[in-house]
Amino acid sequence: KQEVTQIPAALSVPEGENLVLNCSFTDSAIYNLQWFRQDPGKGLTSLLLIQSSQREQTSGRLNASLDKSSGRSTLYIAASQPGDSATYLCAVEMDSSYKLIFGSGTRLLVRP
Amino acid sequence: GAVVSQHPSRVICKSGTSVKIECRSLDFQATTMFWYRQFPKQSLMLMATSNEGSKATYEQGVEKDKFLINHASLTLSTLTVTSAHPEDSSFYICSARDRERHAVEAFFGQGTRLTVV
């Protein structure tokens, strides 16, 4: 059974810092991996999707990497801003069924 | 990006009543939609997969008679929480995929905060 773990559970950094969020999964036979952002009481916003054949994806200040063999993904946020404060979730898709298995998230606070 | 609309955003109901939550894909057709629930400070747990024109597939431990799912069209799926109890209070989120674009990311609704009193 696939299990997705995110470390740390919570993170507080001063504005401007570069930071890394970690996601690990137990079964490396994934179809793809996706990072989401969730603001309090809101739904999810897709940030980046990495296909199983890809190593990384970039969007603006965000960079996500994927190492399938080791069961790890990282989300790198450059020059963090207070507006980046949210919960970040990673999720893996095991096959083309579209079902996602989520990690428990990292709650990020960027202090002005 | 694709838009998924979920309604209502908040609902408070009395114990024993039923509540219907709608999930619509606004600018694409969704053969499959998913319903998740999320407890405070926890992650999303998949409840069921909703397939247009057929019965939903429920995850282990989810009562299909309590959480009724209907996917009558390619743009609408509904989740009805029947005979709601306080323990059903949670955040419910739907997700949809664009049937024409198999590789794109999942799009989520804004969620529904259900409080059963």
Side-chain angles (χ1 to χ4, degrees), chain A:
Chain A
K1 179 184 176 184
Q2 176 72 276
E3 292 185 1
V4 182
T5 304
Q6 289 186 246
I7 295 173
L11 181 63
S12 178
V13 301
E15 181 177 5
E17 267 201 14
N18 302 324
L19 57 99
V20 175
L21 307 181
N22 297 292
C23 173
S24 61
F25 44 95
T26 55
D27 186 342
S28 63
I30 65 171
Y31 190 68
N32 64 46
L33 183 144
Q34 198 164 346
W35 282 93
F36 296 89
R37 167 185 174 140
Q38 184 177 31
D39 292 289
K42 302 294 184 182
L44 275 65
T45 300
S46 177
L47 297 174
L48 290 165
L49 179 145
I50 310 177
Q51 300 279 19
S52 61
S53 58
Q54 298 174 325
R55 299 281 296 181
E56 66 176 337
Q57 284 287 329
T58 298
S59 176
R61 293 183 293 109
L62 305 179
N63 175 276
S65 68
L66 174 64
D67 184 342
K68 266 186 58 175
S69 60
S70 66
R72 296 176 187 273
S73 175
T74 61
L75 178 66
Y76 176 82
I77 303 177
S80 59
Q81 303 171 358
D84 294 330
S85 299
T87 295
Y88 290 81
L89 296 159
C90 73
V92 299
E93 188 173 332
M94 297 305 296
D95 50 37
S96 58
S97 69
Y98 297 159
K99 292 167 64 172
L100 294 175
I101 302 170
F102 282 84
S104 54
T106 294
R107 294 188 303 280
L108 173 65
L109 173 65
V110 181
R111 308 186 303 273

Side-chain angles (χ1 to χ4, degrees), chain B:
Chain B
V3 178
V4 176
S5 175
Q6 191 172 337
H7 179 79
S9 58
R10 290 177 179 272
V11 58
I12 301 174
C13 70
K14 291 184 178 180
S15 185
T17 62
S18 296
V19 174
K20 179 184 286 187
I21 303 170
E22 293 187 349
C23 179
R24 294 180 183 274
S25 56
L26 297 185
D27 55 358
F28 66 98
Q29 293 183 326
T31 308
T32 305
M33 292 186 177
F34 302 87
W35 288 96
Y36 296 82
R37 67 187 298 180
Q38 184 180 33
F39 291 105
K41 296 188 177 181
Q42 295 187 26
S43 192
L44 280 72
M45 296 299 294
L46 179 65
M47 298 175 64
T49 302
S50 171
N51 300 297
E52 185 266 336
S54 64
K55 291 183 178 180
T57 303
Y58 291 82
E59 296 299 303
Q60 189 174 9
V62 178
E63 300 176 59
K64 62 179 182 180
D65 294 330
K66 181 168 188 61
F67 299 100
L68 300 180
I69 292 173
N70 183 277
H71 194 155
S73 75
L74 285 171
T75 59
L76 173 65
S77 176
T78 61
L79 168 68
T80 301
V81 183
T82 63
S83 187
H85 291 285
E87 57 265 32
D88 298 324
S89 298
S90 186
F91 193 59
Y92 294 86
I93 310 177
C94 69
S95 168
R97 289 287 184 97
D98 186 335
R99 67 185 301 201
E100 299 296 330
R101 299 161 65 190
H102 298 293
V104 297
E105 61 268 37
F107 297 100
F108 284 76
Q110 289 301 297
T112 297
R113 171 72 60 193
L114 171 63
T115 303
V116 185
V117 298

